[in-house]
Coordinates of all heavy atoms in Angstrom, one line a residue:
N1017 N 79.4 -80.5 209.5 CA 78.2 -81.3 209.2 C 77.0 -80.4 208.8 O 76.0 -81.0 208.4 CB 77.8 -82.3 210.2 CG 77.6 -81.7 211.6 OD1 77.5 -80.5 211.7 ND2 77.5 -82.5 212.6
S1018 N 77.1 -79.1 208.9 CA 76.1 -78.2 208.3 C 76.6 -76.8 208.2 O 77.5 -76.4 208.9 CB 74.8 -78.3 209.2 OG 75.0 -77.6 210.4
G1019 N 75.8 -76.0 207.5 CA 76.1 -74.6 207.4 C 75.8 -73.9 208.7 O 76.5 -73.0 209.1
T1020 N 74.7 -74.4 209.4 CA 74.4 -73.9 210.7 C 75.5 -74.0 211.7 O 75.8 -73.1 212.4 CB 73.1 -74.5 211.2 OG1 72.1 -74.5 210.1 CG2 72.5 -73.8 212.4
A1021 N 76.1 -75.2 211.7 CA 77.2 -75.5 212.6 C 78.4 -74.5 212.3 O 79.0 -74.0 213.2 CB 77.7 -76.9 212.4
I1023 N 78.1 -71.5 211.1 CA 77.8 -70.2 211.6 C 78.0 -70.1 213.2 O 78.6 -69.2 213.7 CB 76.3 -69.8 211.3 CG1 76.2 -69.6 209.7 CG2 75.9 -68.5 212.0 CD1 74.8 -69.5 209.3
T1044 N 66.6 -63.4 205.5 CA 67.4 -64.6 205.4 C 66.6 -65.8 205.9 O 65.5 -65.7 206.4 CB 68.7 -64.4 206.2 OG1 69.6 -65.6 205.9 CG2 68.5 -64.3 207.7
F1045 N 67.3 -66.9 205.9 CA 66.8 -68.2 206.5 C 67.1 -68.2 208.0 O 68.1 -67.6 208.4 CB 67.4 -69.3 205.8 CG 67.0 -70.7 206.2 CD1 65.7 -71.0 206.3 CD2 67.9 -71.7 206.5 CE1 65.3 -72.3 206.7 CE2 67.5 -72.9 207.0 CZ 66.2 -73.2 207.0
S1046 N 66.3 -68.8 208.8 CA 66.5 -68.7 210.2 C 67.8 -69.3 210.7 O 68.3 -68.9 211.8 CB 65.3 -69.5 210.9 OG 65.5 -70.9 210.6
A1047 N 68.4 -70.1 209.9 CA 69.7 -70.7 210.3 C 70.8 -69.7 210.4 O 71.8 -69.9 211.1 CB 70.2 -71.8 209.3
T1048 N 70.6 -68.5 209.8 CA 71.6 -67.4 209.9 C 71.6 -66.9 211.4 O 72.6 -66.6 212.0 CB 71.3 -66.3 209.0 OG1 71.1 -66.8 207.7 CG2 72.4 -65.2 209.0
V1096 N 74.4 -61.8 204.5 CA 74.0 -63.0 203.7 C 74.1 -62.6 202.2 O 73.9 -61.5 201.8 CB 72.6 -63.4 204.0 CG1 72.2 -64.7 203.3 CG2 72.4 -63.6 205.5
N1097 N 74.4 -63.6 201.4 CA 74.3 -63.5 199.9 C 73.0 -64.2 199.5 O 73.0 -65.4 199.2 CB 75.4 -64.2 199.2 CG 76.8 -63.7 199.7 OD1 77.1 -62.5 199.5 ND2 77.6 -64.6 200.3
S1098 N 71.8 -63.5 199.6 CA 70.5 -64.2 199.5 C 70.3 -64.7 198.1 O 70.5 -64.0 197.1 CB 69.4 -63.2 199.8 OG 69.4 -62.8 201.1
Y1099 N 69.9 -66.0 198.1 CA 69.6 -66.6 196.8 C 70.8 -66.7 195.8 O 70.6 -66.9 194.6 CB 68.4 -66.0 196.1 CG 67.2 -66.0 197.0 CD1 66.6 -64.8 197.5 CD2 66.6 -67.2 197.6 CE1 65.5 -64.7 198.3 CE2 65.6 -67.1 198.4 CZ 65.0 -65.9 198.8 OH 64.0 -65.9 199.7
D1122 N 77.6 -65.2 205.5 CA 76.8 -66.3 205.2 C 76.7 -66.5 203.7 O 75.9 -65.9 203.0 CB 75.4 -66.2 205.9 CG 74.5 -67.4 205.7 OD1 74.8 -68.2 204.8 OD2 73.5 -67.5 206.4
A1123 N 77.5 -67.4 203.2 CA 77.5 -67.7 201.8 C 76.9 -69.1 201.6 O 77.3 -69.8 200.6 CB 78.9 -67.6 201.2
A1124 N 76.0 -69.5 202.5 CA 75.5 -70.9 202.5 C 75.0 -71.3 201.1 O 75.3 -72.4 200.7 CB 74.3 -70.9 203.4
S1125 N 74.4 -70.4 200.4 CA 73.8 -70.7 199.1 C 74.5 -70.0 197.9 O 74.0 -70.0 196.8 CB 72.3 -70.4 199.0 OG 72.2 -69.0 199.2
I1144 N 80.9 -68.9 205.5 CA 80.4 -70.2 205.6 C 79.7 -70.7 204.4 O 79.1 -69.8 203.7 CB 79.4 -70.3 206.9 CG1 78.0 -69.7 206.6 CG2 80.0 -69.7 208.1 CD1 77.0 -70.7 206.2
F1145 N 79.7 -72.0 204.1 CA 78.9 -72.6 203.0 C 78.0 -73.7 203.6 O 78.3 -74.2 204.6 CB 79.9 -73.2 202.0 CG 80.7 -72.3 201.1 CD1 82.0 -72.3 201.1 CD2 80.0 -71.3 200.3 CE1 82.8 -71.5 200.4 CE2 80.8 -70.4 199.6 CZ 82.2 -70.5 199.6
S1146 N 77.0 -74.0 202.9 CA 76.1 -75.1 203.2 C 76.2 -76.1 202.0 O 76.2 -75.6 200.8 CB 74.7 -74.7 203.4 OG 73.8 -75.8 203.4
F1147 N 76.1 -77.4 202.3 CA 76.0 -78.4 201.2 C 74.8 -79.2 201.5 O 74.7 -80.4 201.2 CB 77.3 -79.2 201.2 CG 78.5 -78.4 201.0 CD1 79.4 -78.2 202.0 CD2 78.8 -77.8 199.8 CE1 80.5 -77.4 201.9 CE2 79.9 -77.0 199.6 CZ 80.8 -76.8 200.7
N1148 N 73.8 -78.6 202.0 CA 72.5 -79.2 202.2 C 71.9 -79.6 200.8 O 72.4 -79.2 199.8 CB 71.5 -78.2 202.9 CG 70.2 -78.8 203.3 OD1 70.2 -80.0 203.7 ND2 69.2 -78.0 203.3
N1150 N 69.5 -79.0 199.0 CA 68.9 -78.0 198.1 C 69.9 -77.0 197.5 O 69.5 -76.1 196.7 CB 67.7 -77.3 198.8 CG 68.2 -76.4 200.0 OD1 69.3 -76.6 200.5 ND2 67.3 -75.5 200.5
K1151 N 71.1 -77.1 197.9 CA 72.1 -76.0 197.5 C 72.7 -76.4 196.1 O 72.5 -77.5 195.6 CB 73.2 -75.9 198.6 CG 72.6 -75.5 200.0 CD 71.9 -74.2 200.0 CE 71.8 -73.6 201.4 NZ 70.6 -73.9 202.2
G1157 N 74.0 -83.2 203.3 CA 73.9 -82.5 204.6 C 75.4 -82.2 204.9 O 76.2 -83.1 205.0
G1158 N 75.7 -80.9 205.0 CA 77.1 -80.5 205.3 C 77.3 -79.0 205.2 O 76.4 -78.3 204.8
G1159 N 78.5 -78.6 205.6 CA 78.8 -77.2 205.6 C 80.3 -77.0 205.6 O 81.0 -78.0 205.8
W1250 N 71.3 -69.3 192.5 CA 70.9 -70.5 193.2 C 69.3 -70.7 193.1 O 68.9 -71.7 192.7 CB 71.3 -70.4 194.7 CG 70.7 -71.5 195.5 CD1 70.8 -72.8 195.3 CD2 69.9 -71.4 196.7 NE1 70.1 -73.5 196.3 CE2 69.6 -72.7 197.2 CE3 69.5 -70.3 197.5 CZ2 68.8 -72.9 198.3 CZ3 68.8 -70.5 198.6 CH2 68.4 -71.8 199.0
W1280 N 61.9 -65.2 201.6 CA 62.1 -65.3 203.1 C 61.1 -64.4 203.8 O 61.0 -63.2 203.5 CB 63.5 -64.8 203.6 CG 64.7 -65.4 202.9 CD1 65.7 -64.6 202.3 CD2 65.1 -66.7 202.8 NE1 66.7 -65.4 201.8 CE2 66.4 -66.7 202.1 CE3 64.6 -67.9 203.2 CZ2 67.1 -67.9 201.9 CZ3 65.3 -69.1 203.0 CH2 66.5 -69.0 202.3
Ligands
PLP2567 C1 70.8 -73.3 203.7 C2 71.1 -72.0 204.5 C3 71.7 -72.1 205.8 C4 71.8 -73.3 206.6 O1 72.7 -74.3 206.1 P1 72.5 -75.8 206.6 O2 73.6 -76.6 205.9 O3 71.1 -76.3 206.1 O4 72.6 -75.8 208.1 C5 72.1 -70.9 206.4 N1 71.9 -69.7 205.7 C6 71.3 -69.6 204.5 C7 71.1 -68.3 203.9 C8 70.9 -70.8 203.8 O5 70.4 -70.7 202.6

Side-chain angles (χ1 to χ4, degrees):
N1017 59 13
S1018 74
T1020 312
I1023 295 169
T1044 187
F1045 182 51
S1046 64
T1048 310
V1096 184
N1097 306 295
S1098 290
Y1099 306 116
D1122 181 343
S1125 60
I1144 77 98
F1145 290 121
S1146 167
F1147 306 105
N1148 190 31
N1150 62 346
K1151 302 300 201 268
W1250 171 54
W1280 311 122

